[in-house]
Amino acid sequence: MQTPVMRQYFAAKQAHPDCLMMCRIGDFYELFYDDAIIASRELQLTLTARDREKKQPMCGVPYHAAEQYIQRLLRKGYRIALCDQMEDPRLTKKIVRREVTRVLTPGTVVDAGLGAEQSNWLASVCARGTGSAAGVGLALLDLSTGEFRATEFPGTTAWAQLMDELERLRPVELLYAEGGPVALQGGRQGSLRDLAASTPGPLPAAEQDQADPGALAAVRTKTALEDWVFTPDYALPLLRRHAGVHSLDGLGLAGHEAAAVAAGALLHYLQQTKQGGLEHIDTLRFYQRGECLLLDAVTVRNLELVEPLFSGESAQTTLFHTLDACSTPMGRRLLRSTLLRPASHLAEIQQRLDAVAEAAADLPRREGLRRALGGLLDLERLLGRVALDSAGPRELVALAGAMACLPGVRDAVGSFHSRRWRQLAGTGDPAGEISTEAKDQLSGELSTAGAEISTERQAAFDALEDLHSLIAATIADEPPVNLAEGGVIRAGVDAELDELRELGRSGRQALAGIEERERQRTGIGSLKVRFNSVFGYYLEVTKANSRSVPADYERKQTLVNAERFTTPELKDYETKILTAQERSGEIERRLFAGLRRQLLDAAGRMRETSRRVAESDLLACFAHLAALRGWVRPQVEESGVLEFAAGRHPVVELRLEESGGGRFVPNSISLEAWVGSTETAEQSTGPSIALITGPNMGGKSTYLRQAALLVVMAQCGCFVPAERMRLGLVDRIYTRIGASDNVARGRSTFMVEMTETAAILNTATAQSLVLLDEMGRGTATYDGLSLAWAAVEHLHEKIGARTLFATHYHELTLLANRLPRLKNLRVTARETASGIVFLHTVEAGAASRSYGIEVARLAGLPAAVIARAREVLKLHERAETQQVARALEAADEQAAAPLQMTMFTPLSQRIVDRLAAVDVDGLTPREALNLLADLQRELGASS
Ligand code: ADP
Ligand code: MG
């Protein structure tokens, strides 16, 4: 039999089957059945039961501590529904009404413990069409800051591109259509829902299989929504209403229906989960991957841009960590997203570099700006909390505190003169300064972008002074944590409130007076006036004194040691005080809500200011690094050049410095993309491929990564650790580095390596930068060598991209004789009496050998093993060098002579000779037959 409470529970659970249902009962949130089993396991709670047969498991968490338990469940990827009491249990005799008031999910909850430098993406995926007509739309929202964007991937590679983007952005929650692509399914709460019964989606399974599923596996929570949510008829009007527009074209969404539908479905989800106000959500911004220097997920990981290559390693190995001298969380988040999307437009990069150069050269003003930024808290996240109605009085005070720093920031930004600073300060960017031509070009390139260069950021920097005064004038200086405690609103704001508070105060004084008077009247020194929420105000007298109680006292309650009384006078004051309190609570709530409303009406302004703060912070950070570490401005241009002199790996250098591990040895490079096949172009271009050989541990990998990192930094607008750098814009960086271990994902290393290499050879352009490190290592020597050889030839002949190729196959250095635009480089080592010393310098030339045995000796292999290895190596090397040289010669001859194919087993020389000697014209038919029979016999004998 079901109790009324359980009936409420089942109704709630039915409406939210994929959530853990937390049902408020008394002072606890209770979970039942499967939910209870999961929660008790994940939170280590004791599992009890509602019934004697123990068939109805349950467990609970105290209401007051619920927050931390909820956060723990969310972090593990669960969705939670809160079923709350809708009435005050003290005020109703019947069963209290309960309803689901909020659904909490990893992507919609703003966790106070959220990493400040990381975005908390809620993603929504909408797949439409198939084959080359396929399109996958992706919408992303960070509810904690309000950042909202969407993109679309077209064509047959749409799915792979989506996976790549997901892997880079790492959303915490992903929404998809229930009947959509199978690959999306299989959520964390599979046991709660029948995921198996899904129909295959519009993308053929084959296409889904090609994509790396790792990105999906990394998303903790996948939430299926009903298919109709992802229909244009439903989702598009929703999006239009939210954006307040009649047509989505203005948002850059023309022709990108999949992206728009994904965004609309995401808004639906927010409504469905009853999130608070959504006013702080930014206008949806459509972006395209091509607008920036493309870095695929593999490259982001290999270069350790934002996360260490091996999870669990310290984050100090990342470029993000090394470059993070930002003063605000907004700046830090922008740094992170900028590293993932460096700029690709020359004008944008130049503007940033100009701004950095100016600030780097001006210590007082730069420090002025950094000091001003230093006091800023996370404006964006605070605003987010206000919108989601989870901001208490203290958060508003913090918000006001942050705003108080803004005028200082505005003035500091305004003290600079270069164009980007003036745009940020809004102190005029005289239109005359940019030629109309340049403007046309810019707006042409950016028709759908708008993100990287905003030519119209001309409104003045809004320091939000009015909002600051508004908060400061409304909220008390040191308000309590909760609104309900009272005393949040400053005195003088509301006359009635002040009056009620005065009433309360005088009432309490009167009570103190009563206590004093009654003590004297009764002669009971320990008599007290007290309050509790059930009985209100009362006079308490210990049992020992109860005989001295006067007759006009009215008994209220008897305890073990004491008795409690009231008097008509006390009752009177009680009513006065409580009514005043209630009424003033109401007024405070009303005023607080009004303030919140006013702040939210200004959400757009706050977001714009946050954006400018973030960008100012990032530029100041780059300038600070340039000045502090002596970095130089890269010369970025439209060409195919990649050149640096005395370059250093920023991360390795810093780590060596910090650990006292010696100095980083600077090194140089000079490459040039090979663009055309015309004679003249071929003559004028420098080498496009550098083949780097040398001993293990010599610094090859470091050199490769350094080149890529300097390119990323330069295109972010950051100065670089080098004496000099010249860079022709790079469109995309490809990496194939080391034998990174993907075994955990169920793919052999070699397969991964070849997949990555295939992607490079198929899609790189002459403007790309390609890093190949130890290619071919995952297979047998000759396989690997041959594949590496062919790949280098292809890059050289067909692509022309600037390429750095590090290899332990020093046989490959022979390629330099055959490929005019390939240059051999080697990392140097010196052999001393005590062993090998790595010099880490990179110089022209090929390594003569690989020093593997020396390195093994350093590693401590027994001397006898080392000696034997030397012998074996000698034998092999001799054979191998001869073989490769011979193979090369043969290949050259083959290329010179017309190709002759041998289709049969060669005949024995004797037969050939006899045939050649025959005078066919002089043979009689009979002789011919005899000869034939003879030859046949001989053939039979010889085989
Ligand atoms: P390889 O790829 O040739 O095996 P690595 O690039 O992995 O060698 O470098 C091996 C070690 O040498 C790295 O741990 C790095 O700290 C150090 N190293 C590399 N290049 C330099 C350099 N230019 N100056 C100082 N130390 C370096
Ligand atoms: Mg290496």
Side-chain angles (χ1 to χ4, degrees):
M1 203 209 65
Q2 282 181 11
T3 63
V5 175
M6 284 315 280
R7 262 202 297 281
Q8 289 175 337
Y9 166 81
F10 283 116
K13 184 73 192 174
Q14 196 171 16
H16 301 275
D18 52 0
C19 295
L20 299 178
M21 182 64 57
M22 296 180 70
C23 197
R24 176 82 189 269
I25 296 176
D27 285 336
F28 280 82
Y29 273 123
E30 302 283 6
L31 295 104
F32 303 104
Y33 302 101
D34 282 355
D35 293 0
I37 294 171
I38 292 174
S40 71
R41 186 184 64 221
E42 299 286 8
L43 301 174
Q44 266 118 53
L45 298 172
T46 318
L47 195 62
T48 55
R50 293 192 65 240
D51 54 337
R52 243 175 253 127
E53 296 85 47
K54 301 222 177 337
K55 283 197 182 128
Q56 300 176 17
M58 80 179 229
C59 69
V61 299
Y63 169 72
H64 293 289
E67 174 85 19
Q68 63 171 85
Y69 288 107
I70 290 174
Q71 296 297 1
R72 268 162 67 192
L73 287 173
L74 289 174
R75 245 171 259 145
K76 286 169 185 263
Y78 292 99
R79 287 178 286 270
I80 295 162
L82 293 182
C83 186
D84 273 310
Q85 300 176 157
M86 305 307 286
E87 300 161 296
D88 191 334
R90 280 176 300 176
L91 302 180
T92 178
K93 294 267 182 307
K94 294 182 306 191
I95 170 125
V96 184
R97 194 157 53 83
R98 288 184 176 80
E99 272 173 25
V100 171
T101 51
R102 232 182 126 187
V103 175
L104 307 166
T105 74
T108 57
V109 143
V110 184
D111 182 347
L114 225 53
E117 78 275 1
Q118 225 156 337
S119 295
N120 196 54
W121 294 118
L122 167 64
S124 160
V125 172
C126 170
R128 306 181 70 76
T130 53
S132 56
V136 178
L138 173 68
L140 295 148
L141 171 69
D142 182 346
L143 204 58
S144 69
T145 65
E147 195 171 348
F148 191 19
R149 25 167 148 144
T151 188
E152 196 167 300
F153 310 111
T156 45
T157 59
W159 196 255
Q161 291 181 56
L162 169 71
M163 290 305 122
D164 213 64
E165 192 71 352
L166 290 178
E167 170 131 13
R168 266 184 339 138
L169 295 170
R170 310 260 174 125
V172 290
E173 183 173 357
L174 182 78
L175 311 176
Y176 66 96
E178 216 166 21
V182 187
L184 287 171
Q185 300 166 13
R188 181 133 198 162
Q189 283 165 311
S191 62
L192 297 180
R193 238 178 46 86
D194 185 14
L195 286 170
S198 52
T199 50
L203 284 176
E207 273 172 46
Q208 295 170 20
D209 286 348
Q210 283 171 10
D212 189 342
L216 281 179
V219 181
R220 288 177 308 185
T221 308
K222 297 177 201 79
T223 305
L225 303 179
E226 287 172 73
D227 290 350
W228 56 263
V229 175
F230 286 87
T231 55
D233 285 349
Y234 175 74
L236 298 185
L238 205 60
L239 181 60
R240 278 198 291 269
R241 257 200 314 284
H242 174 81
V245 294
H246 287 294
S247 154
L248 296 172
D249 297 3
L251 304 177
L253 287 167
H256 298 298
E257 198 177 72
V261 169
L266 198 151
L267 291 172
H268 161 87
Y269 185 60
L270 295 181
Q271 289 179 356
Q272 192 199 21
T273 53
K274 303 175 208 257
Q275 305 306 323
L278 301 174
E279 293 87 344
H280 74 300
I281 296 179
D282 208 5
T283 317
L284 179 65
R285 190 163 69 65
F286 187 79
Y287 73 100
Q288 254 161 351
R289 279 162 37 110
E291 290 154 17
C292 61
L293 164 59
L294 278 181
L295 302 164
D296 51 77
V298 175
T299 299
V300 168
R301 203 166 49 221
N302 279 334
L303 295 178
E304 305 191 281
L305 293 183
V306 294
E307 262 159 44
L309 194 52
F310 301 104
S311 56
E313 252 178 29
S314 111
Q316 286 178 358
T317 57
T318 63
L319 185 62
F320 172 73
H321 175 84
T322 306
L323 297 186
D324 180 16
C326 291
S327 312
T328 70
M330 285 87 84
R332 222 158 271 139
R333 282 195 295 272
L334 182 62
L335 170 61
R336 197 182 165 93
S337 63
T338 304
L339 289 178
L340 294 175
R341 292 171 58 83
S344 59
H345 295 288
L346 189 56
E348 167 67 16
I349 297 169
Q350 297 294 21
Q351 278 192 28
R352 290 188 200 173
L353 288 170
D354 286 345
V356 172
E358 187 187 2
D362 191 334
L363 175 71
R365 270 185 268 183
R366 181 177 76 243
E367 280 311 309
L369 174 57
R370 283 168 51 84
R371 249 197 320 279
L373 288 165
L376 266 172
L377 299 172
D378 204 332
L379 266 185
E380 282 179 319
R381 290 247 162 110
L382 283 169
L383 173 63
R385 291 184 69 105
V386 173
L388 298 171
D389 214 2
S390 61
R394 297 241 170 116
E395 268 89 22
L396 288 198
V397 171
L399 189 59
M403 286 172 176
C405 305
L406 291 174
V409 174
R410 177 189 55 202
D411 296 346
V413 168
S415 71
F416 294 113
H417 305 295
S418 60
R419 183 136 135 237
R420 176 51 53 92
W421 287 120
R422 284 208 314 272
Q423 286 170 354
L424 289 169
T427 45
D429 177 23
E433 223 176 79
I434 330 178
S435 68
T436 7
E437 222 171 294
K439 236 185 183 164
D440 282 353
Q441 198 199 338
L442 282 180
S443 56
E445 281 171 4
L446 292 168
S447 52
T448 52
E452 290 198 345
I453 314 174
S454 149
T455 44
E456 30 230 287
R457 243 191 303 211
Q458 293 182 10
F461 184 103
D462 185 350
L464 310 172
E465 279 123 325
D466 53 331
L467 301 180
H468 172 257
S469 341
L470 185 68
I471 300 176
T474 313
I475 307 284
D477 287 334
E478 284 175 15
V481 178
N482 292 315
L483 186 56
E485 287 172 50
V488 167
I489 304 293
R490 192 180 276 284
V493 173
D494 186 280
E496 191 187 351
L497 179 65
D498 291 345
E499 210 171 289
L500 289 164
R501 282 183 180 156
E502 190 45 48
L503 218 77
R505 227 184 329 268
S506 62
R508 273 189 295 275
Q509 263 164 20
L511 289 177
I514 292 178
E515 185 178 87
E516 196 47 45
R517 197 191 62 214
E518 292 301 309
R519 278 183 191 173
Q520 299 199 339
R521 178 160 84 99
T522 59
I524 308 173
S526 61
L527 179 145
K528 287 190 185 77
V529 174
R530 287 210 158 143
F531 175 82
N532 77 28
S533 56
V534 181
F535 292 103
Y537 287 94
Y538 53 82
L539 294 155
E540 187 170 288
V541 175
T542 54
K543 270 269 166 66
N545 291 315
S546 57
R547 253 168 297 124
S548 325
V549 167
D552 57 337
Y553 278 24
E554 206 178 293
R555 181 171 281 106
K556 256 187 147 172
Q557 194 191 8
T558 304
L559 304 178
V560 183
N561 303 319
E563 293 205 78
R564 292 173 174 176
F565 304 91
T566 186
T567 64
E569 187 192 20
L570 198 59
K571 271 194 211 151
D572 218 40
Y573 276 112
E574 178 182 285
T575 320
K576 261 194 206 138
I577 293 170
L578 291 184
T579 325
Q581 256 173 18
E582 207 162 289
R583 178 78 192 119
S584 65
E586 248 163 54
I587 295 176
E588 291 211 41
R589 274 197 299 281
R590 177 170 52 77
L591 292 173
F592 193 81
L595 176 61
R596 173 172 172 261
R597 204 48 280 145
Q598 277 175 287
L599 290 174
L600 288 180
D601 287 344
R605 288 170 56 201
M606 287 196 240
R607 288 198 50 83
E608 175 59 23
T609 297
S610 299
R611 240 194 302 269
R612 295 199 200 190
V613 164
E615 197 170 339
S616 306
D617 190 15
L618 184 61
L619 293 172
C621 156
F622 285 166
H624 174 75
L625 293 172
L628 184 76
R629 310 224 179 118
W631 291 355
V632 301
R633 175 178 183 150
Q635 180 188 330
V636 184
E637 55 189 38
E638 305 265 13
S639 76
V641 171
L642 169 59
E643 250 177 42
F644 54 76
R648 283 112 57 206
H649 188 300
V651 181
V652 175
E653 179 177 42
L654 186 68
R655 298 204 77 195
L656 282 175
E657 252 170 47
E658 283 172 356
S659 67
R663 261 174 42 77
F664 189 88
V665 181
N667 43 55
S668 307
I669 200 167
S670 173
L671 290 179
E672 186 168 357
W674 177 65
V675 199
S677 56
T678 59
E679 288 290 299
T680 47
E682 197 162 346
Q683 277 158 11
S684 70
T685 48
S688 60
I689 302 184
L691 188 80
I692 303 124
T693 44
N696 237 321
M697 288 299 286
K700 300 185 293 299
S701 303
T702 309
Y703 182 66
L704 258 59
R705 285 164 202 238
Q706 172 187 324
L709 291 183
L710 295 199
V711 169
V712 167
M713 288 165 72
Q715 293 197 205
C716 284
C718 183
F719 280 22
V720 291
E723 253 164 35
R724 199 164 72 248
M725 176 169 182
R726 227 181 110 203
L727 172 68
L729 286 177
V730 170
D731 65 353
R732 181 160 180 173
I733 299 179
Y734 291 90
T735 57
R736 158 85 283 278
I737 291 190
S740 80
D741 221 334
N742 267 23
V743 176
R745 293 202 190 155
R747 284 222 249 155
S748 91
T749 329
F750 184 62
M751 185 64 200
V752 173
E753 176 176 336
M754 285 301 119
T755 312
E756 291 174 9
T757 309
I760 298 174
L761 298 182
N762 288 329
T763 56
T765 74
Q767 271 70 52
S768 307
L769 174 67
V770 177
L771 308 184
L772 294 168
D773 194 354
E774 303 288 11
M775 188 193 156
R777 184 166 246 181
T779 181
T781 311
Y782 283 104
D783 279 13
L785 178 58
S786 320
L787 285 166
W789 185 290
V792 172
E793 279 184 351
H794 185 84
L795 281 161
H796 184 271
E797 297 302 323
K798 297 284 177 340
I799 298 177
R802 286 159 282 186
T803 304
L804 283 92
F805 193 124
T807 182
H808 61 292
Y809 294 127
H810 57 270
E811 293 89 342
L812 281 176
T813 56
L814 292 171
L815 274 167
N817 303 331
R818 307 163 51 79
L819 307 178
R821 291 178 308 280
L822 181 141
K823 183 178 172 186
N824 276 324
L825 297 177
R826 63 174 174 226
V827 290
T828 51
R830 199 173 53 220
E831 276 180 275
T832 64
S834 58
I836 186 168
V837 175
F838 302 113
L839 302 177
H840 298 307
T841 27
V842 178
E843 58 178 35
S848 50
R849 53 204 203 75
S850 70
Y851 299 91
I853 295 180
E854 269 63 39
V855 175
R857 197 160 77 92
L858 280 184
L861 249 60
V865 175
I866 296 288
R868 175 66 187 141
R870 281 217 172 93
E871 285 171 29
V872 177
L873 176 71
K874 259 199 202 102
L875 288 175
H876 271 271
E877 265 183 350
R878 212 174 295 138
E880 200 178 288
T881 320
Q882 282 167 7
Q883 229 163 354
V884 173
R886 240 197 334 266
L888 269 180
E889 261 164 43
D892 283 340
E893 270 163 28
Q894 236 176 46
L899 211 57
Q900 284 183 359
M901 301 238 292
T902 327
M903 295 177 48
F904 305 103
T905 327
L907 296 171
S908 88
Q909 199 57 44
R910 286 246 315 274
I911 298 177
V912 174
D913 289 347
R914 277 185 67 181
L915 272 173
V918 172
D919 170 18
V920 179
D921 290 334
L923 282 182
T924 64
R926 174 156 207 140
E927 281 166 343
L929 277 176
N930 282 344
L931 176 65
L932 203 57
D934 236 29
L935 288 172
Q936 199 175 43
R937 206 170 30 248
E938 196 159 331
L939 251 182
S942 70
S943 67

